[in-house]
PDB file of all heavy atoms in Angstrom:
ATOM      1  N   MET A   7      10.268  -5.504   2.027  1.00  0.00           N
ATOM      2  CA  MET A   7      10.486  -4.462   3.010  1.00  0.00           C
ATOM      3  C   MET A   7      11.562  -4.917   3.989  1.00  0.00           C
ATOM      4  O   MET A   7      11.376  -5.902   4.705  1.00  0.00           O
ATOM      5  CB  MET A   7       9.191  -4.127   3.751  1.00  0.00           C
ATOM      6  CG  MET A   7       8.042  -3.750   2.830  1.00  0.00           C
ATOM      7  SD  MET A   7       6.565  -3.238   3.744  1.00  0.00           S
ATOM      8  CE  MET A   7       6.133  -4.806   4.519  1.00  0.00           C
ATOM      9  N   ASN A   8      12.659  -4.198   4.018  1.00  0.00           N
ATOM     10  CA  ASN A   8      13.763  -4.492   4.919  1.00  0.00           C
ATOM     11  C   ASN A   8      13.983  -3.327   5.876  1.00  0.00           C
ATOM     12  O   ASN A   8      13.519  -2.221   5.645  1.00  0.00           O
ATOM     13  CB  ASN A   8      15.044  -4.757   4.131  1.00  0.00           C
ATOM     14  CG  ASN A   8      14.943  -5.945   3.212  1.00  0.00           C
ATOM     15  OD1 ASN A   8      14.281  -6.932   3.521  1.00  0.00           O
ATOM     16  ND2 ASN A   8      15.625  -5.869   2.066  1.00  0.00           N
ATOM     17  N   SER A   9      14.716  -3.601   6.937  1.00  0.00           N
ATOM     18  CA  SER A   9      15.029  -2.576   7.932  1.00  0.00           C
ATOM     19  C   SER A   9      13.789  -1.819   8.369  1.00  0.00           C
ATOM     20  O   SER A   9      13.767  -0.590   8.420  1.00  0.00           O
ATOM     21  CB  SER A   9      16.079  -1.608   7.373  1.00  0.00           C
ATOM     22  OG  SER A   9      17.261  -2.291   6.994  1.00  0.00           O
ATOM     23  N   LEU A  10      12.778  -2.551   8.704  1.00  0.00           N
ATOM     24  CA  LEU A  10      11.494  -1.946   9.037  1.00  0.00           C
ATOM     25  C   LEU A  10      11.573  -1.115  10.312  1.00  0.00           C
ATOM     26  O   LEU A  10      12.294  -1.453  11.253  1.00  0.00           O
ATOM     27  CB  LEU A  10      10.428  -3.014   9.177  1.00  0.00           C
ATOM     28  CG  LEU A  10       9.924  -3.576   7.841  1.00  0.00           C
ATOM     29  CD1 LEU A  10       9.198  -4.890   8.047  1.00  0.00           C
ATOM     30  CD2 LEU A  10       9.007  -2.559   7.167  1.00  0.00           C
ATOM     31  N   LYS A  11      10.820  -0.037  10.301  1.00  0.00           N
ATOM     32  CA  LYS A  11      10.751   0.895  11.413  1.00  0.00           C
ATOM     33  C   LYS A  11       9.318   0.983  11.918  1.00  0.00           C
ATOM     34  O   LYS A  11       8.381   0.689  11.179  1.00  0.00           O
ATOM     35  CB  LYS A  11      11.209   2.292  10.973  1.00  0.00           C
ATOM     36  CG  LYS A  11      12.576   2.344  10.314  1.00  0.00           C
ATOM     37  CD  LYS A  11      12.857   3.742   9.791  1.00  0.00           C
ATOM     38  CE  LYS A  11      14.199   3.812   9.107  1.00  0.00           C
ATOM     39  NZ  LYS A  11      14.467   5.180   8.565  1.00  0.00           N
ATOM     40  N   PRO A  12       9.133   1.410  13.156  1.00  0.00           N
ATOM     41  CA  PRO A  12       7.765   1.595  13.653  1.00  0.00           C
ATOM     42  C   PRO A  12       6.942   2.535  12.778  1.00  0.00           C
ATOM     43  O   PRO A  12       5.721   2.361  12.676  1.00  0.00           O
ATOM     44  CB  PRO A  12       7.983   2.190  15.049  1.00  0.00           C
ATOM     45  CG  PRO A  12       9.302   1.648  15.473  1.00  0.00           C
ATOM     46  CD  PRO A  12      10.132   1.610  14.210  1.00  0.00           C
ATOM     47  N   GLU A  13       7.587   3.494  12.139  1.00  0.00           N
ATOM     48  CA  GLU A  13       6.893   4.421  11.257  1.00  0.00           C
ATOM     49  C   GLU A  13       6.308   3.742  10.026  1.00  0.00           C
ATOM     50  O   GLU A  13       5.475   4.332   9.333  1.00  0.00           O
ATOM     51  CB  GLU A  13       7.839   5.538  10.797  1.00  0.00           C
ATOM     52  CG  GLU A  13       8.526   6.280  11.934  1.00  0.00           C
ATOM     53  CD  GLU A  13       9.880   5.684  12.265  1.00  0.00           C
ATOM     54  OE1 GLU A  13       9.929   4.770  13.119  1.00  0.00           O
ATOM     55  OE2 GLU A  13      10.891   6.132  11.676  1.00  0.00           O
ATOM     56  N   ASP A  14       6.744   2.529   9.750  1.00  0.00           N
ATOM     57  CA  ASP A  14       6.216   1.787   8.610  1.00  0.00           C
ATOM     58  C   ASP A  14       4.895   1.093   8.927  1.00  0.00           C
ATOM     59  O   ASP A  14       4.274   0.519   8.029  1.00  0.00           O
ATOM     60  CB  ASP A  14       7.225   0.742   8.136  1.00  0.00           C
ATOM     61  CG  ASP A  14       8.505   1.368   7.624  1.00  0.00           C
ATOM     62  OD1 ASP A  14       8.429   2.386   6.909  1.00  0.00           O
ATOM     63  OD2 ASP A  14       9.592   0.830   7.943  1.00  0.00           O
ATOM     64  N   THR A  15       4.495   1.117  10.170  1.00  0.00           N
ATOM     65  CA  THR A  15       3.245   0.484  10.574  1.00  0.00           C
ATOM     66  C   THR A  15       2.070   1.139   9.864  1.00  0.00           C
ATOM     67  O   THR A  15       1.868   2.351   9.954  1.00  0.00           O
ATOM     68  CB  THR A  15       3.059   0.575  12.094  1.00  0.00           C
ATOM     69  OG1 THR A  15       4.088  -0.167  12.746  1.00  0.00           O
ATOM     70  CG2 THR A  15       1.706   0.013  12.505  1.00  0.00           C
ATOM     71  N   ALA A  16       1.312   0.341   9.154  1.00  0.00           N
ATOM     72  CA  ALA A  16       0.189   0.852   8.375  1.00  0.00           C
ATOM     73  C   ALA A  16      -0.516  -0.306   7.694  1.00  0.00           C
ATOM     74  O   ALA A  16      -0.032  -1.441   7.694  1.00  0.00           O
ATOM     75  CB  ALA A  16       0.667   1.849   7.324  1.00  0.00           C
ATOM     76  N   VAL A  17      -1.658  -0.004   7.120  1.00  0.00           N
ATOM     77  CA  VAL A  17      -2.301  -0.931   6.204  1.00  0.00           C
ATOM     78  C   VAL A  17      -1.745  -0.643   4.820  1.00  0.00           C
ATOM     79  O   VAL A  17      -1.770   0.500   4.361  1.00  0.00           O
ATOM     80  CB  VAL A  17      -3.831  -0.783   6.210  1.00  0.00           C
ATOM     81  CG1 VAL A  17      -4.460  -1.707   5.173  1.00  0.00           C
ATOM     82  CG2 VAL A  17      -4.389  -1.100   7.595  1.00  0.00           C
ATOM     83  N   TYR A  18      -1.247  -1.665   4.174  1.00  0.00           N
ATOM     84  CA  TYR A  18      -0.641  -1.516   2.858  1.00  0.00           C
ATOM     85  C   TYR A  18      -1.611  -1.989   1.792  1.00  0.00           C
ATOM     86  O   TYR A  18      -2.189  -3.069   1.891  1.00  0.00           O
ATOM     87  CB  TYR A  18       0.664  -2.304   2.775  1.00  0.00           C
ATOM     88  CG  TYR A  18       1.803  -1.635   3.494  1.00  0.00           C
ATOM     89  CD1 TYR A  18       1.816  -1.559   4.878  1.00  0.00           C
ATOM     90  CD2 TYR A  18       2.858  -1.058   2.784  1.00  0.00           C
ATOM     91  CE1 TYR A  18       2.853  -0.917   5.546  1.00  0.00           C
ATOM     92  CE2 TYR A  18       3.891  -0.425   3.439  1.00  0.00           C
ATOM     93  CZ  TYR A  18       3.884  -0.356   4.825  1.00  0.00           C
ATOM     94  OH  TYR A  18       4.923   0.276   5.473  1.00  0.00           O
ATOM     95  N   TYR A  19      -1.746  -1.166   0.752  1.00  0.00           N
ATOM     96  CA  TYR A  19      -2.694  -1.435  -0.316  1.00  0.00           C
ATOM     97  C   TYR A  19      -1.983  -1.579  -1.654  1.00  0.00           C
ATOM     98  O   TYR A  19      -1.120  -0.773  -1.995  1.00  0.00           O
ATOM     99  CB  TYR A  19      -3.719  -0.311  -0.435  1.00  0.00           C
ATOM    100  CG  TYR A  19      -4.603  -0.136   0.771  1.00  0.00           C
ATOM    101  CD1 TYR A  19      -4.240   0.726   1.797  1.00  0.00           C
ATOM    102  CD2 TYR A  19      -5.799  -0.827   0.876  1.00  0.00           C
ATOM    103  CE1 TYR A  19      -5.046   0.895   2.907  1.00  0.00           C
ATOM    104  CE2 TYR A  19      -6.616  -0.663   1.977  1.00  0.00           C
ATOM    105  CZ  TYR A  19      -6.236   0.199   2.990  1.00  0.00           C
ATOM    106  OH  TYR A  19      -7.042   0.378   4.087  1.00  0.00           O
ATOM    107  N   CYS A  20      -2.376  -2.564  -2.392  1.00  0.00           N
ATOM    108  CA  CYS A  20      -1.925  -2.728  -3.763  1.00  0.00           C
ATOM    109  C   CYS A  20      -2.797  -1.877  -4.672  1.00  0.00           C
ATOM    110  O   CYS A  20      -4.019  -1.816  -4.501  1.00  0.00           O
ATOM    111  CB  CYS A  20      -2.019  -4.209  -4.154  1.00  0.00           C
ATOM    112  SG  CYS A  20      -1.500  -4.586  -5.830  1.00  0.00           S
ATOM    113  N   ASN A  21      -2.175  -1.220  -5.637  1.00  0.00           N
ATOM    114  CA  ASN A  21      -2.893  -0.324  -6.533  1.00  0.00           C
ATOM    115  C   ASN A  21      -2.496  -0.572  -7.979  1.00  0.00           C
ATOM    116  O   ASN A  21      -1.328  -0.813  -8.280  1.00  0.00           O
ATOM    117  CB  ASN A  21      -2.599   1.132  -6.166  1.00  0.00           C
ATOM    118  CG  ASN A  21      -3.055   2.113  -7.230  1.00  0.00           C
ATOM    119  OD1 ASN A  21      -2.271   2.560  -8.066  1.00  0.00           O
ATOM    120  ND2 ASN A  21      -4.339   2.446  -7.215  1.00  0.00           N
ATOM    121  N   ALA A  22      -3.473  -0.502  -8.850  1.00  0.00           N
ATOM    122  CA  ALA A  22      -3.234  -0.538 -10.284  1.00  0.00           C
ATOM    123  C   ALA A  22      -3.924   0.655 -10.912  1.00  0.00           C
ATOM    124  O   ALA A  22      -5.115   0.868 -10.678  1.00  0.00           O
ATOM    125  CB  ALA A  22      -3.754  -1.835 -10.893  1.00  0.00           C
ATOM    126  N   ARG A  23      -3.185   1.425 -11.681  1.00  0.00           N
ATOM    127  CA  ARG A  23      -3.741   2.600 -12.338  1.00  0.00           C
ATOM    128  C   ARG A  23      -3.628   2.451 -13.844  1.00  0.00           C
ATOM    129  O   ARG A  23      -2.534   2.266 -14.372  1.00  0.00           O
ATOM    130  CB  ARG A  23      -3.035   3.874 -11.876  1.00  0.00           C
ATOM    131  CG  ARG A  23      -3.409   5.106 -12.691  1.00  0.00           C
ATOM    132  CD  ARG A  23      -2.921   6.378 -12.047  1.00  0.00           C
ATOM    133  NE  ARG A  23      -3.737   6.735 -10.898  1.00  0.00           N
ATOM    134  CZ  ARG A  23      -3.640   7.899 -10.238  1.00  0.00           C
ATOM    135  NH1 ARG A  23      -2.748   8.790 -10.610  1.00  0.00           N
ATOM    136  NH2 ARG A  23      -4.427   8.135  -9.199  1.00  0.00           N
ATOM    137  N   ARG A  24      -4.753   2.557 -14.504  1.00  0.00           N
ATOM    138  CA  ARG A  24      -4.755   2.550 -15.950  1.00  0.00           C
ATOM    139  C   ARG A  24      -4.325   3.921 -16.428  1.00  0.00           C
ATOM    140  O   ARG A  24      -4.998   4.918 -16.167  1.00  0.00           O
ATOM    141  CB  ARG A  24      -6.142   2.201 -16.483  1.00  0.00           C
ATOM    142  CG  ARG A  24      -6.187   2.016 -17.988  1.00  0.00           C
ATOM    143  CD  ARG A  24      -7.519   1.456 -18.428  1.00  0.00           C
ATOM    144  NE  ARG A  24      -7.567   1.223 -19.859  1.00  0.00           N
ATOM    145  CZ  ARG A  24      -8.574   0.652 -20.487  1.00  0.00           C
ATOM    146  NH1 ARG A  24      -9.636   0.234 -19.799  1.00  0.00           N
ATOM    147  NH2 ARG A  24      -8.524   0.481 -21.793  1.00  0.00           N
ATOM    148  N   THR A  25      -3.209   3.967 -17.111  1.00  0.00           N
ATOM    149  CA  THR A  25      -2.580   5.238 -17.435  1.00  0.00           C
ATOM    150  C   THR A  25      -3.418   6.108 -18.366  1.00  0.00           C
ATOM    151  O   THR A  25      -3.401   7.341 -18.252  1.00  0.00           O
ATOM    152  CB  THR A  25      -1.201   5.013 -18.063  1.00  0.00           C
ATOM    153  OG1 THR A  25      -1.319   4.164 -19.212  1.00  0.00           O
ATOM    154  CG2 THR A  25      -0.263   4.356 -17.061  1.00  0.00           C
ATOM    155  N   SER A  26      -4.144   5.504 -19.278  1.00  0.00           N
ATOM    156  CA  SER A  26      -4.895   6.275 -20.255  1.00  0.00           C
ATOM    157  C   SER A  26      -6.123   6.957 -19.666  1.00  0.00           C
ATOM    158  O   SER A  26      -6.505   8.043 -20.097  1.00  0.00           O
ATOM    159  CB  SER A  26      -5.308   5.384 -21.424  1.00  0.00           C
ATOM    160  OG  SER A  26      -6.128   4.318 -20.991  1.00  0.00           O
ATOM    161  N   THR A  27      -6.736   6.320 -18.683  1.00  0.00           N
ATOM    162  CA  THR A  27      -7.962   6.843 -18.100  1.00  0.00           C
ATOM    163  C   THR A  27      -7.809   7.256 -16.643  1.00  0.00           C
ATOM    164  O   THR A  27      -8.730   7.851 -16.072  1.00  0.00           O
ATOM    165  CB  THR A  27      -9.085   5.803 -18.178  1.00  0.00           C
ATOM    166  OG1 THR A  27      -8.705   4.635 -17.450  1.00  0.00           O
ATOM    167  CG2 THR A  27      -9.352   5.418 -19.629  1.00  0.00           C
ATOM    168  N   VAL A  28      -6.692   6.926 -16.042  1.00  0.00           N
ATOM    169  CA  VAL A  28      -6.411   7.173 -14.631  1.00  0.00           C
ATOM    170  C   VAL A  28      -7.465   6.494 -13.748  1.00  0.00           C
ATOM    171  O   VAL A  28      -7.863   7.027 -12.707  1.00  0.00           O
ATOM    172  CB  VAL A  28      -6.308   8.679 -14.315  1.00  0.00           C
ATOM    173  CG1 VAL A  28      -5.593   8.895 -12.986  1.00  0.00           C
ATOM    174  CG2 VAL A  28      -5.570   9.414 -15.420  1.00  0.00           C
ATOM    175  N   ASP A  29      -7.925   5.345 -14.183  1.00  0.00           N
ATOM    176  CA  ASP A  29      -8.800   4.533 -13.361  1.00  0.00           C
ATOM    177  C   ASP A  29      -7.964   3.771 -12.341  1.00  0.00           C
ATOM    178  O   ASP A  29      -6.958   3.159 -12.692  1.00  0.00           O
ATOM    179  CB  ASP A  29      -9.585   3.536 -14.211  1.00  0.00           C
ATOM    180  CG  ASP A  29     -10.606   4.202 -15.107  1.00  0.00           C
ATOM    181  OD1 ASP A  29     -11.153   5.254 -14.709  1.00  0.00           O
ATOM    182  OD2 ASP A  29     -10.855   3.676 -16.200  1.00  0.00           O
ATOM    183  N   ASP A  30      -8.376   3.802 -11.100  1.00  0.00           N
ATOM    184  CA  ASP A  30      -7.650   3.143 -10.020  1.00  0.00           C
ATOM    185  C   ASP A  30      -8.372   1.899  -9.533  1.00  0.00           C
ATOM    186  O   ASP A  30      -9.593   1.895  -9.369  1.00  0.00           O
ATOM    187  CB  ASP A  30      -7.456   4.089  -8.832  1.00  0.00           C
ATOM    188  CG  ASP A  30      -6.308   5.052  -9.042  1.00  0.00           C
ATOM    189  OD1 ASP A  30      -5.217   4.590  -9.431  1.00  0.00           O
ATOM    190  OD2 ASP A  30      -6.504   6.261  -8.801  1.00  0.00           O
ATOM    191  N   TYR A  31      -7.588   0.864  -9.281  1.00  0.00           N
ATOM    192  CA  TYR A  31      -8.086  -0.368  -8.699  1.00  0.00           C
ATOM    193  C   TYR A  31      -7.276  -0.658  -7.448  1.00  0.00           C
ATOM    194  O   TYR A  31      -6.061  -0.489  -7.432  1.00  0.00           O
ATOM    195  CB  TYR A  31      -7.985  -1.529  -9.684  1.00  0.00           C
ATOM    196  CG  TYR A  31      -8.768  -1.306 -10.949  1.00  0.00           C
ATOM    197  CD1 TYR A  31      -8.201  -0.644 -12.033  1.00  0.00           C
ATOM    198  CD2 TYR A  31     -10.088  -1.742 -11.065  1.00  0.00           C
ATOM    199  CE1 TYR A  31      -8.922  -0.422 -13.195  1.00  0.00           C
ATOM    200  CE2 TYR A  31     -10.812  -1.525 -12.221  1.00  0.00           C
ATOM    201  CZ  TYR A  31     -10.228  -0.867 -13.283  1.00  0.00           C
ATOM    202  OH  TYR A  31     -10.945  -0.649 -14.437  1.00  0.00           O
ATOM    203  N   TRP A  32      -7.961  -1.105  -6.405  1.00  0.00           N
ATOM    204  CA  TRP A  32      -7.322  -1.297  -5.105  1.00  0.00           C
ATOM    205  C   TRP A  32      -7.584  -2.678  -4.547  1.00  0.00           C
ATOM    206  O   TRP A  32      -8.658  -3.256  -4.747  1.00  0.00           O
ATOM    207  CB  TRP A  32      -7.842  -0.273  -4.097  1.00  0.00           C
ATOM    208  CG  TRP A  32      -7.547   1.145  -4.463  1.00  0.00           C
ATOM    209  CD1 TRP A  32      -8.335   1.993  -5.173  1.00  0.00           C
ATOM    210  CD2 TRP A  32      -6.372   1.887  -4.124  1.00  0.00           C
ATOM    211  NE1 TRP A  32      -7.728   3.222  -5.297  1.00  0.00           N
ATOM    212  CE2 TRP A  32      -6.531   3.185  -4.669  1.00  0.00           C
ATOM    213  CE3 TRP A  32      -5.214   1.580  -3.410  1.00  0.00           C
ATOM    214  CZ2 TRP A  32      -5.563   4.173  -4.522  1.00  0.00           C
ATOM    215  CZ3 TRP A  32      -4.244   2.557  -3.265  1.00  0.00           C
ATOM    216  CH2 TRP A  32      -4.430   3.840  -3.812  1.00  0.00           C
ATOM    217  N   GLY A  33      -6.593  -3.191  -3.834  1.00  0.00           N
ATOM    218  CA  GLY A  33      -6.782  -4.405  -3.070  1.00  0.00           C
ATOM    219  C   GLY A  33      -7.439  -4.091  -1.745  1.00  0.00           C
ATOM    220  O   GLY A  33      -7.736  -2.937  -1.425  1.00  0.00           O
ATOM    221  N   GLN A  34      -7.667  -5.126  -0.955  1.00  0.00           N
ATOM    222  CA  GLN A  34      -8.369  -4.951   0.317  1.00  0.00           C
ATOM    223  C   GLN A  34      -7.467  -4.442   1.438  1.00  0.00           C
ATOM    224  O   GLN A  34      -7.960  -3.981   2.469  1.00  0.00           O
ATOM    225  CB  GLN A  34      -9.011  -6.277   0.741  1.00  0.00           C
ATOM    226  CG  GLN A  34      -8.089  -7.258   1.456  1.00  0.00           C
ATOM    227  CD  GLN A  34      -7.069  -7.916   0.544  1.00  0.00           C
ATOM    228  OE1 GLN A  34      -7.114  -7.786  -0.677  1.00  0.00           O
ATOM    229  NE2 GLN A  34      -6.129  -8.640   1.149  1.00  0.00           N
ATOM    230  N   GLY A  35      -6.167  -4.519   1.244  1.00  0.00           N
ATOM    231  CA  GLY A  35      -5.216  -4.073   2.232  1.00  0.00           C
ATOM    232  C   GLY A  35      -4.713  -5.195   3.121  1.00  0.00           C
ATOM    233  O   GLY A  35      -5.420  -6.156   3.390  1.00  0.00           O
ATOM    234  N   THR A  36      -3.477  -5.058   3.574  1.00  0.00           N
ATOM    235  CA  THR A  36      -2.894  -6.009   4.511  1.00  0.00           C
ATOM    236  C   THR A  36      -2.141  -5.235   5.588  1.00  0.00           C
ATOM    237  O   THR A  36      -1.422  -4.281   5.298  1.00  0.00           O
ATOM    238  CB  THR A  36      -1.970  -7.009   3.786  1.00  0.00           C
ATOM    239  OG1 THR A  36      -1.501  -7.998   4.710  1.00  0.00           O
ATOM    240  CG2 THR A  36      -0.775  -6.314   3.144  1.00  0.00           C
ATOM    241  N   GLN A  37      -2.325  -5.633   6.826  1.00  0.00           N
ATOM    242  CA  GLN A  37      -1.766  -4.905   7.959  1.00  0.00           C
ATOM    243  C   GLN A  37      -0.303  -5.261   8.177  1.00  0.00           C
ATOM    244  O   GLN A  37       0.061  -6.433   8.243  1.00  0.00           O
ATOM    245  CB  GLN A  37      -2.553  -5.212   9.234  1.00  0.00           C
ATOM    246  CG  GLN A  37      -1.990  -4.551  10.497  1.00  0.00           C
ATOM    247  CD  GLN A  37      -2.185  -3.059  10.513  1.00  0.00           C
ATOM    248  OE1 GLN A  37      -3.293  -2.570  10.249  1.00  0.00           O
ATOM    249  NE2 GLN A  37      -1.124  -2.313  10.812  1.00  0.00           N
ATOM    250  N   VAL A  38       0.514  -4.228   8.311  1.00  0.00           N
ATOM    251  CA  VAL A  38       1.916  -4.381   8.689  1.00  0.00           C
ATOM    252  C   VAL A  38       2.127  -3.640   9.996  1.00  0.00           C
ATOM    253  O   VAL A  38       1.854  -2.444  10.085  1.00  0.00           O
ATOM    254  CB  VAL A  38       2.866  -3.825   7.611  1.00  0.00           C
ATOM    255  CG1 VAL A  38       4.303  -3.807   8.124  1.00  0.00           C
ATOM    256  CG2 VAL A  38       2.763  -4.647   6.341  1.00  0.00           C
ATOM    257  N   THR A  39       2.601  -4.345  10.999  1.00  0.00           N
ATOM    258  CA  THR A  39       2.866  -3.749  12.295  1.00  0.00           C
ATOM    259  C   THR A  39       4.316  -3.983  12.678  1.00  0.00           C
ATOM    260  O   THR A  39       4.776  -5.126  12.709  1.00  0.00           O
ATOM    261  CB  THR A  39       1.948  -4.339  13.377  1.00  0.00           C
ATOM    262  OG1 THR A  39       0.579  -4.139  13.015  1.00  0.00           O
ATOM    263  CG2 THR A  39       2.210  -3.664  14.718  1.00  0.00           C
ATOM    264  N   VAL A  40       5.027  -2.906  12.949  1.00  0.00           N
ATOM    265  CA  VAL A  40       6.430  -2.981  13.329  1.00  0.00           C
ATOM    266  C   VAL A  40       6.542  -2.570  14.795  1.00  0.00           C
ATOM    267  O   VAL A  40       6.265  -1.421  15.142  1.00  0.00           O
ATOM    268  CB  VAL A  40       7.308  -2.085  12.454  1.00  0.00           C
ATOM    269  CG1 VAL A  40       8.777  -2.268  12.831  1.00  0.00           C
ATOM    270  CG2 VAL A  40       7.092  -2.404  10.987  1.00  0.00           C
ATOM    271  N   ALA A  41       6.937  -3.487  15.630  1.00  0.00           N
ATOM    272  CA  ALA A  41       7.044  -3.243  17.058  1.00  0.00           C
ATOM    273  C   ALA A  41       8.353  -2.537  17.380  1.00  0.00           C
ATOM    274  O   ALA A  41       9.416  -2.903  16.874  1.00  0.00           O
ATOM    275  CB  ALA A  41       6.950  -4.552  17.827  1.00  0.00           C
ATOM    276  N   SER A  42       8.281  -1.550  18.239  1.00  0.00           N
ATOM    277  CA  SER A  42       9.454  -0.800  18.639  1.00  0.00           C
ATOM    278  C   SER A  42      10.170  -1.470  19.801  1.00  0.00           C
ATOM    279  O   SER A  42       9.640  -2.381  20.441  1.00  0.00           O
ATOM    280  CB  SER A  42       9.072   0.628  19.018  1.00  0.00           C
ATOM    281  OG  SER A  42       8.171   0.633  20.101  1.00  0.00           O
TER     282      SER A  42
END
């Protein structure tokens, strides 16, 4: 992530989707905070 903006502030989650079944797997999330 480059040129980060305050609007990018969020919890970011990793996702894996099995295409055949559309099963979703998620990570626990990691906080990104961009100070203005």
